[in-house]
Amino acid sequence: KLDKALELAATLGFSAVNNGDQVGLMLFTDTIESFIPPKQGKQHMYAILSRLINHHPASNQTNIQHLCQTIMKTSLKRSIVFIFSDFICENYDADFRRLSQKHDVIPIVIQDPLEQTIPPVGIIALKDTETGDEVLCDTNNENFQAAIQSVLNSQRKKREQMFKSVGVNPLSLLTTQDMIVPLQQYFKCR
């Protein structure tokens, strides 16, 4: 997921630079870990890429609410804001809505196909990357499959409903797919 996000960030960043637009970066977990204010130019974009490639998060937690509040405080001019996340987070809807009213927000949801369907391959350990909790699951068990599919579908529907209610159109990509065609189609429809 990180590789796909880096590739997409580089593509979007250099596209913006080629258009003469300013590009900035805000890396977040449950806090803002790094901020590079927007500027123009390829050298600035190279500095952003270097920060992206060399960044090691200090936390496993996610706080989209804090991110939205920080962007509102630091970005005074109307901007295009790309947010790369799985958006599995609580209590950010109101701040996300306010951010979307002030800026053109484009949520980028990058998922591994295993986040949509867990194949029946026997007993596996599932780990919550934010809490570190680990649980053994029998993926061949029909009850497990029904329960996990229910959770995954619920998360997806909640995210989609929130985006729809706010009036933003997310770009959803799988790690296994080429990003250029979906990216072109997304911007063609905007």
Side-chain angles (χ1 to χ4, degrees), residues 153-182:
N153 287 339
S154 174
Q155 288 174 342
R156 181 183 46 79
K157 285 179 184 174
K158 181 180 177 186
R159 181 179 62 230
E160 288 173 358
Q161 288 172 345
M162 192 273 298
F163 289 153
K164 187 175 182 179
S165 76
V166 169
V168 298
N169 186 21
L171 172 60
S172 297
L173 295 170
L174 292 174
T175 56
T176 55
Q177 78 183 120
D178 178 57
M179 67 169 186
I180 298 302
V181 172

Side-chain angles (χ1 to χ4, degrees), residues 1-14:
K1 287 167 60 172
L2 181 59
D3 290 343
K4 186 64 75 173
L6 287 171
E7 182 182 356
L8 187 56
T11 301
L12 292 169
F14 279 111

Side-chain angles (χ1 to χ4, degrees), residues 112-176:
D112 187 290
L114 291 176
E115 292 174 311
Q116 295 180 332
T117 303
I118 296 179
V121 293
I123 296 176
I124 62 170
L126 294 178
K127 183 176 184 177
D128 183 324
T129 56
E130 291 197 10
T131 65
D133 294 343
E134 199 169 297
V135 62
L136 288 177
C137 301
D138 182 359
T139 60
N140 290 327
N141 182 293
E142 290 178 15
N143 292 333
F144 166 80
Q145 283 294 341
I148 197 71
Q149 205 55 54
S150 174
V151 168
L152 294 172
N153 287 339
S154 174
Q155 288 174 342
R156 181 183 46 79
K157 285 179 184 174
K158 181 180 177 186
R159 181 179 62 230
E160 288 173 358
Q161 288 172 345
M162 192 273 298
F163 289 153
K164 187 175 182 179
S165 76
V166 169
V168 298
N169 186 21
L171 172 60
S172 297
L173 295 170
L174 292 174
T175 56
T176 55

Side-chain angles (χ1 to χ4, degrees), residues 49-69:
L49 282 179
S50 176
R51 181 79 53 89
L52 279 168
I53 291 168
N54 295 308
H55 181 73
H56 300 287
S59 173
N60 292 337
Q61 304 298 305
T62 302
N63 188 330
I64 296 173
Q65 178 183 24
H66 181 64
L67 170 72
C68 293
Q69 292 168 352

Side-chain angles (χ1 to χ4, degrees), residues 29 33 43-44 64-65 82 94 98 108 110 134 147 150:
T29 54
E33 295 204 1
Q43 287 304 113
H44 180 67
I64 296 173
Q65 178 183 24
F82 294 93
R98 280 192 288 282
I108 310 257
I110 301 174
E134 199 169 297
S150 174

